[in-house]
């Protein structure tokens, strides 16, 4: 397109924006961010700041900024974008709703669980009445509301929301859809957080197998769910098995998410916590062997 139409033709710029999008969808978030950062100024200059493709490009820029490790910047970018989407496209346009959903998501990822809950509490009814109760955006917003409600300290509320939304996601999007699987991971976690670690272990055990098969062993949801399974195994009492599970999953968290990712850091601390407990609990077996009563001192 660049050779035939020129570098600043509308079709060329839109094609570059879409190329960046699909590169990001393939997992190359930093490259997607680089390409989107390059094309958005050209979209703004050639098509205008209020063109739909320019606004979509800004939304993509916010997304890849967050996925590349800067959720606070992504929250700021989406916060700046949403009023423009509403003004130009209308408050009930799907892109506007997408922007509001992303604003809540990145606000939560940046540490603002309570503000994310407030944003989603307003968004969910708007989506339900405008797009319908079974619309994908409506279901995802309900799932995100459960996620950030739990992160904000409302554990039972989170579990109730996921108990309700998982069957709807499975029915509408399908049992193998990424959002359905992500919601199943959340319901398993909040089941444990509300005092049922045995049920959490059972749910995660079933889920991890499905995740590895459907999303792949290196997907973010897969590795995080494996780590959560390890944690709830330890809470349940199977500390030795849990520690071995932590040791197996931590290198994958390092490789897939990065050593400084919040999930990696959190699970490294959890392993240290459970190791400390296990070292005290199983001191005699560690030093004298499982088949002895203590051995020589």
């Amino acid at each position: 397109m660049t050779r035939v139409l020129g570098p600043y033709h509308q079709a060329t710029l839109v094609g570059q924006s879409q190329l960046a999008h699909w590169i990001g969808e393939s997992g190359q978030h930093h490259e997607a961010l680089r390409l989107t950062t390059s094309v958005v100024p050209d979209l703004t200059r050639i098509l205008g700041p209020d063109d739909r493709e320019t606004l979509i490009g800004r939304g993509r820029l916010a997304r890849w900024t967050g996925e590349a490790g800067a959720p606070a910047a992504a929250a700021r970018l989406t916060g700046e974008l949403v009023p423009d989407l509403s003004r130009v496209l209308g408050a009930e346009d799907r892109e506007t709703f997408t922007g509001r959903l992303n604003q809540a998501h990145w606000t939560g990822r940046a540490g603002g669980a309570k503000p994310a809950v407030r944003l989603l509490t307003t968004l969910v009814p708007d989506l339900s009445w405008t797009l319908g109760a079974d619309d994908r955006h409506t279901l995802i917003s309900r799932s995100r509301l459960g996620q950030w409600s739990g992160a904000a300290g409302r554990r039972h509320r989170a579990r109730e929301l996921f108990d309700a939304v998982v069957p709807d996601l499975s029915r509408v999007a399908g049992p193998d859809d990424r959002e359905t699987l992500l919601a199943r991971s959340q319901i398993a976690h909040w089941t444990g957080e509300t005092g049922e670690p045995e049920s959490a272990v059972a749910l995660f055990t079933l889920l991890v197998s499905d995740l590895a098969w459907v999303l792949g062993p290196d997907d973010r949801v897969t590795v995080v769910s494996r780590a959560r399974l390890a944690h709830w195994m330890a809470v349940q009492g199977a500390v030795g098995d849990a520690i071995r599970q932590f040791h197996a999953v931590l290198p994958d968290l390092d490789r897939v998410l990065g050593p400084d990712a919040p999930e990696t850091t959190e699970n490294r601390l959890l392993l240290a916590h459970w190791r400390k407990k296990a070292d005290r609990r199983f001191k005699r077996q560690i030093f004298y062997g499982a088949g002895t009563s203590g051995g020589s001192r």
Side-chain angles (χ1 to χ4, degrees):
M1 275 194 272
T2 302
R3 179 178 60 82
V4 176
L5 301 177
Y8 300 120
H9 191 279
Q10 177 175 351
T12 304
L13 295 174
V14 172
Q16 290 174 350
S17 181
Q18 291 175 343
L19 174 62
H21 169 72
W22 290 113
I23 286 175
E25 289 289 355
S26 73
Q28 301 177 64
H29 299 153
H30 286 86
E31 178 64 9
L33 176 59
R34 185 186 70 80
L35 293 171
T36 307
T37 300
S38 175
V39 76
V40 165
D42 290 337
L43 287 167
T44 304
R45 180 170 55 88
I46 302 300
L47 305 185
D50 288 348
D51 187 86
R52 188 180 189 93
E53 291 295 336
T54 303
L55 295 170
I56 291 173
R58 287 174 59 192
R60 289 170 174 166
L61 177 61
R63 178 184 176 188
W64 302 126
T65 297
E67 296 289 1
R76 176 181 57 80
L77 289 170
T78 51
E80 295 169 354
L81 173 62
V82 166
D84 292 339
L85 288 167
S86 184
R87 174 179 57 83
V88 176
L89 304 180
E92 296 183 352
D93 188 90
R94 187 174 289 273
E95 289 296 337
T96 304
F97 285 134
T98 300
R100 291 173 62 190
L101 180 58
N102 289 336
Q103 181 186 8
H105 173 71
W106 292 117
T107 297
R109 287 281 295 273
K114 290 183 178 179
V117 169
R118 288 194 291 271
L119 290 168
L120 288 161
T121 300
T122 302
L123 176 60
V124 169
D126 291 346
L127 285 167
S128 184
W129 286 114
T130 305
L131 302 183
D134 282 348
D135 186 86
R136 183 177 181 86
H137 276 64
T138 305
L139 296 173
I140 292 174
S141 69
R142 287 171 54 197
S143 183
R144 297 290 185 273
L145 178 58
Q147 175 184 355
W148 297 118
S149 293
R154 301 186 64 186
R155 300 175 181 182
H156 290 278
R157 169 72 165 158
R159 183 174 176 181
E160 290 171 357
L161 287 165
F162 280 111
D163 278 336
V165 78
V166 166
D168 291 340
L169 277 168
S170 185
R171 172 177 54 84
V172 174
D176 291 342
D177 186 85
R178 181 183 185 83
E179 289 294 337
T180 305
L181 295 168
L182 177 59
R184 285 177 58 195
S185 179
Q186 289 284 335
I187 196 173
H189 177 69
W190 296 114
T191 295
E193 289 287 353
T194 51
E196 298 184 32
E198 296 85 0
S199 297
V201 169
L203 290 169
F204 269 123
T205 300
L206 290 173
L207 174 63
V208 164
S209 176
D210 292 342
L211 287 169
W213 177 257
V214 177
L215 301 183
D218 289 342
D219 186 88
R220 180 191 192 96
V221 180
T222 305
V223 292
V224 170
S225 294
R226 287 171 55 203
R228 285 180 169 172
L229 171 60
H231 171 66
W232 292 114
M233 287 169 66
V235 174
Q236 183 188 18
V239 179
D241 290 339
I243 289 173
R244 286 186 284 274
Q245 174 81 354
F246 271 123
H247 278 294
V249 75
L250 273 169
D252 294 334
L253 284 166
D254 277 337
R255 179 171 49 82
V256 174
L257 305 184
D260 297 326
E263 295 89 344
T264 307
T265 302
E266 177 188 4
N267 283 287
R268 195 178 293 116
L269 292 172
L270 283 171
L271 171 59
H273 168 78
W274 290 114
R275 267 292 307 271
K276 186 176 181 180
K277 284 183 172 291
D279 285 351
R280 290 198 303 265
R281 179 179 174 184
F282 299 110
K283 182 177 180 179
R284 296 182 72 82
Q285 291 93 319
I286 291 170
F287 285 100
Y288 302 119
T292 68
S293 60
S296 63
R297 299 189 184 192

